[in-house]
Amino acid sequence: MAETVHTGWVVLWHDERGWGVLDARTVPEQVWAHYSNVDGDGFRSLDPGAEVEFTVERAEQDGYHWRAVRVKEKPPKKRRR
C-alpha cells in the first residue's frame, strides 16, 4: 500500500532543537517533524513558510498526534514575467 504524500508548509522550525511543525489541508492536525526525517545529508533545516511534501504516521510526540516520516522541501515556484 502506497503512502499518501501531503503538500503543505513549514509553520515553525527550531534549528537549535532540530525539529519543527508542518501543516497541510489534507492532515487533520499539525504535524511534528524532526530534522533526521528531512531529505538531505548532514545538518538539515527548514524555513518557516517553505512549501514541503511529506508523509505521516500516527504518533504522540511533544503534544502532537502526527509525526512526519519523510519531508522534502519543494523548490520555489518560478515567477512568470
Side-chain angles (χ1 to χ4, degrees):
M1 183 170 157
E3 291 179 300
T4 301
V5 177
H6 304 276
T7 299
W9 58 94
V10 180
V11 176
L12 64 92
W13 192 264
H14 302 283
D15 277 336
E16 67 282 354
R17 295 180 179 166
W19 68 272
V21 179
L22 312 177
D23 204 350
R25 290 182 180 91
T26 53
V27 181
E29 299 175 36
Q30 291 184 327
V31 177
W32 186 90
H34 191 261
Y35 83 93
S36 63
N37 293 346
V38 176
D39 188 41
D41 296 321
F43 181 77
R44 290 155 279 184
S45 180
L46 296 169
D47 293 322
E51 189 174 17
V52 290
E53 291 180 334
F54 58 95
T55 59
V56 298
E57 64 184 2
R58 275 297 256 171
E60 296 298 320
Q61 185 73 49
D62 294 335
Y64 294 90
H65 303 291
W66 296 92
R67 179 171 50 215
V69 178
R70 292 184 194 92
V71 183
K72 183 174 183 174
E73 189 169 354
K74 293 182 75 173
K77 293 179 182 177
K78 293 183 180 179
R79 292 185 175 188
R80 289 185 163 174
R81 293 182 186 224

